[in-house]
């Protein structure tokens, strides 16, 4: 036997800074100092928890994660430890369970999550939690995604023995502009308190009273009005903190979840779109430790109503005579009318104003369109404001980086001034406006500027002043209705997924651009693309920065493709809490 | 696997040509024929017939009295003795309905209402009776004893719209149910 194999497991593990732990009868190695709960999770052993959250400080208050634990017996003075055939010491099980979240693994430790003791203590903890619970699941918005419901089903006794009357606490209390509190439903896990204290840095929540009257309370005279306050709704494992916006809108079990990204700023927060029957009901953050951790700003979370708003443009609209009102049209005649109109204007008098809110695929089609027309006047509207020092990036366009790469813009937004000037001096006679309202303060056009134009084409999903002035409006779709990719401020390419079908007769923006370019006589390979995934593969062949990119490689959590040097403050803070 | 040989039973000529079964059936038919001709057909009274023939004279005579207690007519919503609408728009019936007949628009109970403790109630509640298959799943799923299969079966909508029962209609058909659901009183 070589020296290597005669070593005990503990020495082999110790050499790598690891320890041996037995979980439910199987031996594993974990890094020294790992929490028992993380260790169990990493090998697929589920431990139920309420108060534990990987991004928050440990509280150990809910006791839900109790497990049975054992260690080798303590040796008498002079006694040598004995090892079994595999080289492990005998485990002596402790009579009392320990909580898995606040204890770390150590050498030769044993954990049982399915022993009679562990099962009994879990059922006991649940019985205590339910003793004063109002059991109003039929009216509770959390029903269906409630940890208390799930755990009592999986581990509880299903029958209460508590016959005394329950303690009364506050119900349906408004604690902030977006949040309602129900103290009776609360399991006192304190996740919300720790989030507000450690992450939002606005400690307005706390426990008050004692015993069964113990309840989460808001500081007198204050409101839970932090710009990130709605994350406590996601954190709350039960229905104690609920969203006013989502209140009684729809039961969660009807909603379809679609992984996507937030398009309100350059961070590209990973989100889940919750929809039912072509209607979006809510957005929630999705964990991505490189982009948004587990959080999302309220402002972006609540910005989804435009998707199903009556302001959406349902079908193509055309103006056939100057000053005539718009009338509804269909797709094919609109494309040929547009192609004719473009051909009538000399190429250098046409400007294309694209948008930093377009996906890479749409920007690529825009580039092809510009090349087909032969114009150099292509730019996007830039939106730079102030960053909030957490997740909202200074760049309020979600895909400025993409526009820089795909359209080859050095300085996005710098040509806009020139185009505006050209329009005013009559040098530019036609504008193709893609997904922007030119009368918005960022774009800076005036309504009378449009009078100088011979032709104004707008592709957008929602009615705007620019669309009202346009000769032809083709309805595109919002972020929830399309597939595509965007590159965030840090240079990470991420995917948008389609949650609902386009509203009315609207079409996916990239297909509109494809049809226009085709009508102008292009025969680029992109004219044969049938999905935005095809376009992404074409992009991967053409751009060095995005070499070999394709839909599968981007994945649900995105792929770092560029080094822009920009960072996301909240993520930096999470990575070096001291700095 | 072991096989077991089973002996075929012996079938007589009469059995082979179904003679016995045919004759038995004919006897029953003849019995009813004779009873009908002499005006003494069965269930003459309950079926409201003249005694000739065994057809029920619907709609003058109806099954109503004969319906078993578990008969599943159209689903209705009920109010409690205290006048509270029992449905809290939990949408469990909408979820369970295999025919997707139910559409609920949940809403909030106004703060000044006597029943504001319930917090939630349907703004609109529609059952498309052209879709409903009278399965009774909604009644079974309801945690609030709010939706019941009634004994009613007389539905003659004249167009598709009239086939949809809205909340007002469902409460009108359902009326009040005896027995209190104590879950939502002030002390609970
Ligand atoms: S009886 Fe069945 S089909 Fe009819 S509404 Fe109820 S669940 Fe739906
Ligand atoms: S009738 Fe019953 S199951 Fe249906 S929504 Fe109302 S309370 Fe829920």
């Amino acid at each position: 036997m070589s020296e290597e194999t005669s070593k005990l497991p503990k020495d082999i593990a110790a050499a790598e800074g690891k320890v041996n732990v037995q979980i439910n009868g199987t031996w594993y190695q974990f890094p020294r100092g790992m929490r028992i709960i993380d260790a169990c999770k990493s090998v697929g052993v589920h431990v139920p928890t309420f108060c534990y959250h990987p991004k928050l400080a440990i509280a150990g208050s809910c006791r839900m994660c109790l497990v049975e634990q054992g260690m080798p017996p303590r040796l008498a003075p002079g006694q040598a430890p004995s090892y079994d055939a595999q080289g492990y010491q005998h485990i002596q099980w402790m009579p009392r369970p320990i909580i898995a979240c606040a204890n770390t693994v150590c050498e030769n430790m044993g954990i049982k999550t399915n022993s009679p003791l562990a099962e009994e203590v879990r059922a006991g903890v649940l019985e205590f939690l339910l003793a004063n619970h109002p059991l109003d699941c039929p009216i509770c918005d959390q029903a269906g995604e409630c940890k208390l419901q799930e755990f009592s089903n999986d581990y509880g006794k299903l029958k209460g023995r508590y016959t005394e009357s329950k303690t009364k606490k506050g119900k349906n209390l408004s604690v902030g502009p977006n949040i309602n509190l129900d103290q009776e439903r609360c399991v006192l896990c304190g996740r919300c308190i720790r989030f507000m204290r450690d992450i939002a840095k606005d400690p307005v929540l706390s426990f008050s009273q004692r015993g069964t009257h113990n309840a989460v309370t808001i500081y007198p005279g204050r409101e839970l009005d932090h710009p990130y306050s709605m994350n406590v709704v996601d954190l709350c494992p039960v229905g104690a903190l609920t969203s006013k916006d989502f209140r009684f809108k729809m039961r969660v079990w009807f909603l379809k979840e679609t992984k996507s990204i937030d398009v309100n700023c350059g961070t590209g927060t990973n989100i889940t779109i919750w929809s039912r029957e072509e209607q979006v009901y809510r957005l929630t953050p999705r964990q991505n430790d490189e982009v948004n951790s587990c959080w999302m700003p309220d402002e972006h979370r609540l910005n989804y109503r435009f998707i199903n708003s009556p302001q959406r443009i349902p079908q193509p609209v055309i103006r056939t005579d100057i000053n005539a009102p718009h009338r509804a049209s269909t797709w094919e005649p609109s494309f040929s009318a547009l192609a004719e109109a473009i051909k009538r204007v000399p190429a250098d008098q046409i400007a294309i104003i694209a948008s930093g809110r377009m996906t890479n695929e749409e920007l690529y089609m825009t580039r092809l369109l510009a090349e087909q027309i032969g114009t150099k006047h292509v730019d996007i509207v830039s939106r730079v404001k102030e960053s909030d020092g957490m997740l909202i990036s200074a760049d309020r366009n979600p895909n400025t980086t993409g526009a820089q790469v795909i359209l080859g813009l050095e300085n996005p937004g710098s040509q806009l001034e020139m185009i505006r000037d050209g329009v005013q001096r009559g040098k530019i006679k036609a504008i193709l406006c893609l997904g922007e309202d030119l009368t918005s303060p960022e774009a800076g056009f005036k309504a009378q500027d449009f009078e100088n134009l011979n032709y104004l084409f707008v592709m957008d999903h929602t009615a705007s002043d620019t669309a009202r002035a346009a000769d032809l409006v083709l309805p595109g779709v919002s972020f929830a209705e399309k597939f595509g990719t965007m590159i965030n401020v840090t240079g990470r390419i991420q995917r948008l997924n389609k949650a609902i079908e386009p509203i009315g007769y609207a079409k996916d923006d990239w297909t509109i651009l494809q049809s226009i370019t085709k009508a102008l006589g292009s025969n680029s390979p992109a004219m044969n693309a049938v999905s935005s995934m095809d376009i992404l593969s074409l992009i991967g062949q053409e751009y060095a920065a995005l070499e070999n990119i394709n839909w599968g490689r981007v994945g649900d959590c995105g792929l770092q493709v560029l080094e822009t040097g920009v960072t996301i403050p909240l993520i930096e803070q999470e990575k070096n809490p001291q700095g | 696997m072991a096989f077991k040989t089973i002996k075929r039973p012996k079938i007589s000529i009469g059995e082979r040509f179904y003679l016995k079964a045919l004759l038995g059936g004919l006897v029953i038919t003849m019995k009813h024929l004779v009873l009908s001709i002499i005006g003494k057909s069965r269930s003459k009274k309950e079926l409201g017939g003249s005694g000739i023939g065994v057809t029920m004279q619907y709609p003058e005579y109806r099954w109503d009295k004969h319906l078993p207690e578990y008969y599943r007519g159209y689903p209705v919503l009920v109010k409690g003795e205290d006048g509270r609408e029992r449905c809290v728009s939990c949408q469990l019936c909408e979820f369970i309905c295999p025919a997707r007949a139910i559409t609920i628009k949940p809403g909030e109970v106004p703060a000044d209402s006597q029943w504001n403790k319930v917090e939630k109630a349907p703004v609109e509640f529609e059952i498309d009776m052209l879709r409903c298959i009278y399965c009774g799943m909604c009644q079974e799923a309801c945690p609030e004893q709010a939706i019941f299969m009634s004994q009613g079966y007389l539905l003659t909508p004249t167009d598709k719209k009239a086939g949809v029962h809205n909340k007002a209609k469902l409460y009108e058909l359902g009326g009040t149910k005896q027995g209190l659901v104590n879950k939502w009183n002030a002390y609970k």
Side-chain angles (χ1 to χ4, degrees):
Chain A
M1 208 186 252
S2 75
E3 197 172 309
E4 199 55 32
T5 47
S6 69
K7 268 188 171 174
L8 287 171
K10 73 177 171 79
D11 301 322
I12 301 172
E16 297 170 39
K18 290 186 172 172
V19 291
N20 293 295
V21 179
Q22 189 198 57
I23 297 179
N24 292 344
T26 316
W27 286 95
Y28 302 94
Q29 289 191 345
F30 298 109
R32 193 179 296 283
M34 193 178 202
R35 294 183 189 288
I36 295 175
I37 197 161
D38 294 329
C40 289
K41 220 172 166 188
S42 71
V43 296
V45 173
H46 179 64
V47 180
T49 57
F50 290 112
C51 70
Y52 170 76
H53 189 278
K55 304 284 172 179
L56 298 175
I58 299 293
S61 62
C62 73
R63 318 312 283 181
M64 194 61 222
C65 63
L66 283 169
V67 292
E68 189 174 355
Q69 174 249 11
M71 291 298 292
R74 186 168 290 192
L75 300 171
Q79 188 189 359
S82 64
Y83 298 97
D84 62 10
Q86 291 161 306
Y88 299 111
Q89 277 177 278
H90 167 71
I91 296 172
Q92 196 167 33
W93 296 97
M94 308 272 176
R96 287 197 333 171
I98 61 162
I99 50 173
C101 69
N103 289 291
T104 53
V105 290
C106 63
E107 183 53 42
N108 217 91
M109 184 188 241
I111 302 291
K112 281 191 203 164
T113 65
N114 53 8
S115 65
L117 174 70
E119 270 161 25
E120 199 183 323
V121 289
R122 277 198 297 254
V125 167
L126 278 168
E127 198 173 354
F128 272 122
L129 286 176
L130 287 170
N132 281 308
H133 191 85
L135 300 179
D136 51 0
C137 307
I139 61 156
C140 176
D141 273 333
Q142 190 82 4
E145 51 181 7
C146 173
K147 287 278 173 281
L148 192 54
Q149 270 185 341
E150 287 169 19
F151 295 161
S152 19
N153 203 29
D154 294 349
Y155 310 111
K157 283 199 169 53
L158 301 181
K159 206 148 189 90
R161 291 175 291 173
Y162 188 72
T163 48
E164 290 76 8
S165 46
K166 299 192 173 196
T167 309
K168 301 278 99 192
K169 297 188 213 172
K171 284 185 85 67
N172 196 7
L173 310 170
S174 167
V175 287
N178 296 318
I179 295 174
N180 261 3
L181 169 65
D182 188 311
Q183 294 172 328
E184 287 185 356
R185 293 179 192 155
C186 176
V187 291
L188 304 169
C189 72
R191 278 187 181 189
C192 51
I193 299 174
R194 279 173 281 149
F195 174 83
M196 290 312 291
R197 185 191 68 196
D198 299 339
I199 304 214
K201 308 233 163 28
D202 183 17
V204 290
L205 292 177
S206 172
F207 288 128
S208 63
Q209 310 294 346
R210 297 197 296 177
T212 61
H213 296 278
N214 197 341
V216 166
T217 340
I218 184 110
Y219 190 84
R222 278 297 313 274
E223 285 221 300
L224 188 54
D225 53 4
H226 189 270
Y228 286 74
S229 64
M230 289 181 83
N231 289 299
V232 301
V233 176
D234 303 330
L235 281 173
C236 181
V238 295
L241 290 160
T242 50
S243 153
K244 280 188 185 169
D245 174 67
F246 186 60
R247 186 169 164 83
F248 302 160
K249 289 276 154 49
M250 192 46 66
R251 306 316 301 260
V252 289
W253 52 77
F254 288 112
L255 300 178
K256 178 181 84 172
E257 293 165 62
T258 311
K259 290 173 181 167
S260 191
I261 57 165
D262 172 40
V263 294
N264 289 292
C265 78
T267 301
T269 293
N270 288 216
I271 59 167
T272 306
I273 303 173
W274 301 73
S275 61
R276 180 191 182 193
E277 289 172 8
E278 315 310 324
Q279 166 121 24
V280 175
Y281 282 91
R282 66 172 180 182
L283 309 179
T284 53
R286 183 159 60 85
Q287 181 171 2
N288 186 337
D289 291 346
E290 298 300 321
V291 182
N292 58 301
S293 190
C294 292
W295 326 119
M296 179 175 190
D298 295 359
E299 188 191 334
H300 296 184
R301 182 194 295 256
L302 296 175
N303 188 17
Y304 65 88
R305 286 214 190 74
F306 70 91
I307 299 168
N308 295 97
S309 115
Q311 292 297 309
R312 288 289 299 269
I313 308 167
Q315 81 266 68
V317 247
I318 196 160
R319 192 196 310 280
T320 37
D321 269 317
I322 309 171
N323 297 332
H326 273 150
R327 54 186 187 75
S329 178
T330 49
W331 285 100
E332 285 312 316
S334 307
F335 289 139
S336 27
L338 178 58
E340 255 164 54
I342 291 175
K343 282 181 193 152
R344 271 202 297 271
V345 185
D348 61 341
Q349 292 184 14
I350 302 178
I352 298 182
I353 300 176
S355 169
R357 291 169 172 167
M358 291 169 112
T359 63
N360 294 327
E361 293 73 17
E362 288 154 15
L363 289 164
Y364 181 74
M365 296 311 294
T366 308
R367 205 201 79 191
L368 293 187
L369 175 63
E371 282 167 4
Q372 186 63 30
I373 295 172
T375 174
K376 292 250 152 13
H377 307 303
V378 184
D379 204 356
I380 64 165
V381 178
S382 89
R383 286 190 177 75
V384 180
K385 288 179 188 162
E386 212 143 284
S387 157
D388 72 342
M390 290 180 81
L391 282 178
I392 303 180
S393 147
D395 182 1
R396 298 297 206 271
N397 275 334
N399 199 19
T400 309
T401 322
Q404 281 168 327
V405 176
I406 309 274
L407 295 180
L409 302 172
E410 293 268 297
N411 219 336
S414 55
Q415 270 203 67
L416 204 61
E417 176 79 56
M418 226 172 61
I419 296 174
R420 219 181 314 144
D421 209 50
V423 172
Q424 276 152 8
R425 287 193 291 117
K427 285 259 170 69
I428 297 222
K429 282 293 177 198
I431 289 186
L432 311 184
C433 169
L434 312 176
E436 284 288 353
D437 178 9
L438 297 182
T439 53
S440 70
E442 294 96 1
F445 280 78
K446 304 248 160 12
Q448 57 265 32
D449 292 343
F450 299 143
E451 284 161 20
N452 296 345
L453 293 173
N454 287 353
Y455 200 75
L456 175 60
F457 162 68
V458 170
M459 176 179 82
D460 204 351
H461 51 71
T462 302
S464 66
D465 282 341
T466 315
R468 275 177 211 108
D471 296 284
L472 175 66
V473 186
L474 295 182
V477 295
S478 72
F479 74 97
E481 295 148 67
K482 64 186 169 199
F483 292 105
T485 58
M486 291 189 178
I487 306 179
N488 82 352
V489 281
T490 67
R492 189 182 191 83
I493 187 164
Q494 307 194 92
R495 299 200 302 211
L496 283 104
N497 281 305
K498 181 175 178 173
I500 59 172
E501 287 301 318
I503 304 285
Y505 291 104
K507 277 193 182 198
D508 213 338
D509 299 54
W510 77 269
T511 59
I512 301 177
L513 294 167
Q514 187 190 38
S515 303
I516 301 171
T517 321
K518 220 184 219 166
L520 289 170
S522 166
N523 53 8
S524 132
M527 296 304 119
N528 301 322
V530 293
S531 69
S532 46
M533 291 90 180
D534 291 352
I535 308 272
L536 185 66
S537 303
L538 286 176
I539 293 175
Q541 289 163 21
E542 205 161 312
Y543 294 88
L546 300 171
E547 211 183 335
N548 290 330
I549 201 86
N550 62 42
W551 190 256
R553 275 190 65 208
V554 176
D556 282 339
C557 288
L559 186 73
Q560 199 72 33
V561 285
L562 304 171
E563 283 308 325
T564 56
V566 182
T567 53
I568 299 162
L570 195 125
I571 298 300
E572 293 308 303
Q573 235 167 54
E574 193 177 295
K575 284 183 183 162
N576 350 278
Q578 267 70 284
Chain B
M1 223 177 153
F3 290 91
K4 202 175 155 192
T5 319
I6 294 171
K7 223 173 160 197
R8 285 181 184 280
K10 264 246 173 314
I11 299 171
S12 68
I13 297 274
E15 279 168 334
R16 198 171 288 179
F17 289 97
Y18 305 105
L19 282 181
K20 204 177 143 203
L22 273 176
L23 287 177
L26 272 176
V27 166
I28 292 178
T29 314
M30 294 309 285
K31 200 171 86 193
H32 282 291
L33 178 70
V34 172
L35 283 176
S36 289
I37 289 175
I38 60 171
K40 284 189 174 160
S41 70
R42 280 226 199 145
S43 315
K44 175 179 164 190
K45 220 164 115 214
E46 290 98 26
L47 297 182
S50 56
I52 300 173
V54 283
T55 322
M56 173 188 271
Q57 300 301 303
Y58 183 86
E60 288 80 12
Y61 282 80
R62 289 177 187 174
W63 265 112
D64 299 14
K65 284 204 298 284
H66 309 268
L67 292 180
E69 185 218 333
Y70 49 79
Y71 178 82
R72 298 199 303 265
Y74 44 69
V76 293
L77 288 177
V78 299
K79 290 199 166 137
E81 283 172 52
D82 45 6
R84 178 176 74 79
E85 61 169 313
R86 283 189 180 174
C87 174
V88 299
S89 60
C90 72
Q91 294 181 290
L92 284 178
C93 51
E94 178 174 357
F95 186 69
I96 203 79
C97 177
R100 291 221 193 176
I102 305 181
T103 316
I104 300 168
K105 192 161 176 264
E108 199 150 2
V109 175
D112 55 2
S113 152
Q114 182 193 357
W115 300 111
N116 63 2
K117 181 151 192 274
V118 188
E119 292 182 38
K120 199 176 174 186
V123 174
E124 191 42 276
F125 194 121
E126 286 178 349
I127 304 184
D128 187 343
M129 290 315 300
L130 301 176
R131 299 196 71 135
C132 176
I133 55 168
Y134 299 84
C135 64
M137 296 269 231
C138 44
Q139 169 175 353
E140 211 167 310
C142 182
E144 297 292 334
Q145 302 173 35
I147 193 164
F148 283 92
M149 302 307 281
S150 66
Q151 302 255 315
Y153 55 88
L154 288 171
L155 284 181
T156 35
T158 44
D159 57 38
K160 281 194 173 177
K161 247 205 190 133
V164 178
H165 286 176
N166 63 8
K167 182 173 148 178
K169 172 98 181 169
L170 288 167
Y171 275 121
E172 184 194 312
L173 293 171
T176 306
K177 195 94 178 166
Q178 295 301 307
L180 281 175
V181 175
N182 257 328
K183 198 165 165 185
W184 300 109
N185 72 29
Y187 311 106
K188 287 275 172 177

